[in-house]
Every structure is written in structure tokens, then in C-alpha cells.
Amino acid sequence: EPEVTQTPSHQVTQMGQEVILRCVPISNHLYFYWYRQILGQKVEFLVSFYNNEISEKSEIFDDQFSVERPDGSNFTLKIRSTKLEDSAMYFCASSDYSNEQFFGPGTRLTVL
Amino acid sequence: GDSVTQMEGPVTLSEEAFLTINCTYTATGYPSLFWYVQYPGEGLQLLLKATKADDKGSNKGFEATYRKETTSFHLEKGSVQVSDSAVYFCALRGGTSYGKLTFGQGTILTVHP
């Protein structure tokens, strides 16, 4: 069964460093999403991406964040200068026209 | 804005007990409603959904009915199993959204033999 994959499973970085979280969505999907979950809190929407551009983003998704689909398979989330409060589990999701979102297992980001 | 509220957890049950996890929502327009489940070490999986009022979503013995009058989408199962132990998330997709999901805080369910 096709699935969304994410790498790495755990990323540890120093405050102020740049990180790139990678996702491989399901191959025939067209809509891509990033969510995050700070420990003990709700899963929060960050951004949606369709047709090579951002279609919707939340207040969390400020200038420190960017997304890219650099080739036909990967979908990345970049955080330019990480802060302590960026520590969270980051989930990638993808969907086709049915809009049923399939989620990856997540990347745990720890900022020290 | 849109919001989802789930009952406080965690929930601990014995096998074959009846499960209810409450979920209420606030949204403009006509949202679609979802229950997602997260097993340890895995991503969120869609458990069931309902797209309009009075729809009943069901899967794997779980059910939830979209109640517009009470703005609720409570999850129920008549007889839980140890394998149902997981975190359950209620979510909505607003009527004007491109696909953004708004989640509740999640409810940890533990089922003992």
C-alpha cells in the first residue's frame, strides 16, 4: 500500500541553525501539507501546497519557514533559523482530489 | 476561526467495554468532520469521516454521526480491544478551506485485557 515517508525520524539541531525536513508524498497525489505538534499540544496546520505554490498557510508559517517541491517526488520544509519553540513533531501529508489526507510518521525536531 | 474540542483524556478501559470519545466543533459554513487514529510510532491514519449533517461514518467497528444541531461528532465503539489502544484525534475541514485540517487535542485510549 502506498504511504507517505519522512526523513529523518529525529533531528537534533542547535538554535539558529537551518534545518530541512523531507517528505516523499504518495506518487499520484497533488496536494501537500505540513503540520506540527508541540509536545502535549494540538496538531497544528502550517501550510498547504498545490501546483507548485502555497495555497494556504497559518500564522505560524512566518518568514522563517519555506516549502519546496524540488523534484517530482520530494516535498521539503525548511526552517531558516531555528528557535527553541520550533521543537515539535512535524507531519507531512498528501492527498489527491478526494482531499483525504494521508500522513507520514513524522519527524521529531529537537532544538537545543 | 474553526476549532475542535475533545474530551479530556486519557481514557482507560477494559477489553469489551463501550467507548465514547466526545468531540464538538465550531466552524463557519459546512465543514467535513474526521476521526484520525495514531498508533505508537506511526503517522495519523484516517479512521472515519462524514461530510454533511446526519451522515454516519464507520470503520473497524467505530462509528460517529455528524450532528449539526449539537455541533458534535462523538466517536463510539461497542466493544473495544487491546489493539484499539492509540491516540484518537477529531478534526474538521472548513467549508472554505483548500484542505487545511483543524484538530482537537487528541485523546489517549488504553485498553487492558
Side-chain angles (χ1 to χ4, degrees), chain A residues 49-99:
Chain A
F49 191 85
Y50 170 70
N51 201 25
N52 277 322
E53 59 183 30
I54 291 173
S55 46
E56 193 173 5
K57 62 181 181 179
S58 71
E59 293 174 354
I60 303 166
F61 195 86
D62 61 21
D63 292 344
Q64 291 299 311
F65 291 88
S66 63
V67 288
E68 193 177 31
R69 189 155 161 80
D71 52 42
S73 59
N74 289 283
F75 180 52
T76 61
L77 174 69
K78 181 191 291 186
I79 309 175
R80 287 191 184 81
S81 178
T82 49
K83 308 181 187 68
L84 294 176
E85 55 265 36
D86 293 329
S87 294
M89 181 74 87
Y90 288 80
F91 294 104
C92 173
S94 69
S95 69
D96 59 15
Y97 287 110
S98 75
N99 254 316

Side-chain angles (χ1 to χ4, degrees), chain B residues 46-58:
Chain B
L46 179 65
L47 181 59
L48 53 84
K49 66 180 180 183
T51 57
K52 61 183 187 298
D54 299 326
D55 268 2
K56 179 186 282 188
S58 62

Side-chain angles (χ1 to χ4, degrees), chain A residues 35 42 56 99-101 103-104, chain B residues 4 43 46 97-99 101:
Chain A
Y35 295 82
K42 293 185 178 186
E56 193 173 5
N99 254 316
E100 177 180 335
Q101 294 181 31
F103 284 76
Chain B
V4 176
L46 179 65
S97 170
Y98 285 99
L101 292 172

